[in-house]
Amino acid sequence: LRSGASSKRQALHAVATAAAHAMGLDEGRIYDALMEREGLGSTGLGAGVAVPHARLNGIDTVRGVFVRLDTPVAYDAVDDRPVDLMFALFAPPGSGAEHLRALAAVSRALRSAEMREQLRQARTIDAIHALFVRDVAANAA
């Protein structure tokens, strides 16, 4: 999903909207869960990337949503750079290790400058999906 968000709050709303459509859950509840997690500390990893995440009732496995912002937004990231790539992860309440593995895999993928550039240039959902599938396959051991 692409979004024209102009603030961190709007960016997280875009993530919540995409997640609500993908998972059939309430957008407001998703947004509140994301904001609650952000209150613990920014999920901005640096290099224009954020990995907002939350635990949600109503899902039975870890789910992800990717949002690319048209214009980077201030996000309180560790390097103070604005964010334009957001990969949100959602996990059921009891999914400790699975949730952490997913966060680690997404964070690792997005640390790659080549991957970030390919995500910024990708023009279709299928192209973005293929980039993540390829990364997971390349790093499976």
Side-chain angles (χ1 to χ4, degrees), residues 22-132:
M23 297 186 287
L25 297 175
D26 179 69
E27 179 180 334
R29 193 164 60 86
I30 295 169
Y31 175 76
D32 289 345
L34 289 169
M35 288 303 290
E36 184 178 330
R37 170 56 191 86
E38 285 300 314
L40 301 175
S42 177
T43 56
L45 301 182
V49 171
V51 184
H53 52 279
R55 296 190 186 277
L56 292 175
N57 289 314
I59 59 175
D60 57 6
T61 188
V62 175
R63 305 277 304 266
V65 174
F66 178 75
V67 174
R68 183 175 65 206
L69 303 176
D70 292 333
T71 305
V73 299
Y75 202 89
D76 302 319
V78 294
D79 62 356
D80 289 324
R81 284 182 53 190
V83 162
D84 66 330
L85 301 176
M86 301 178 72
F87 195 111
L89 284 171
F90 301 94
S95 66
E98 183 187 13
H99 180 68
L100 294 175
R101 277 195 300 274
L103 276 171
V106 169
S107 298
R108 182 191 61 242
L110 295 173
R111 270 197 297 269
S112 160
E114 179 184 357
M115 175 69 143
R116 292 190 306 269
E117 190 53 35
Q118 289 173 334
L119 287 168
R120 288 181 175 114
Q121 299 303 320
R123 293 292 163 241
T124 66
I125 291 170
D126 287 344
I128 290 167
H129 183 259
L131 288 170
F132 282 107

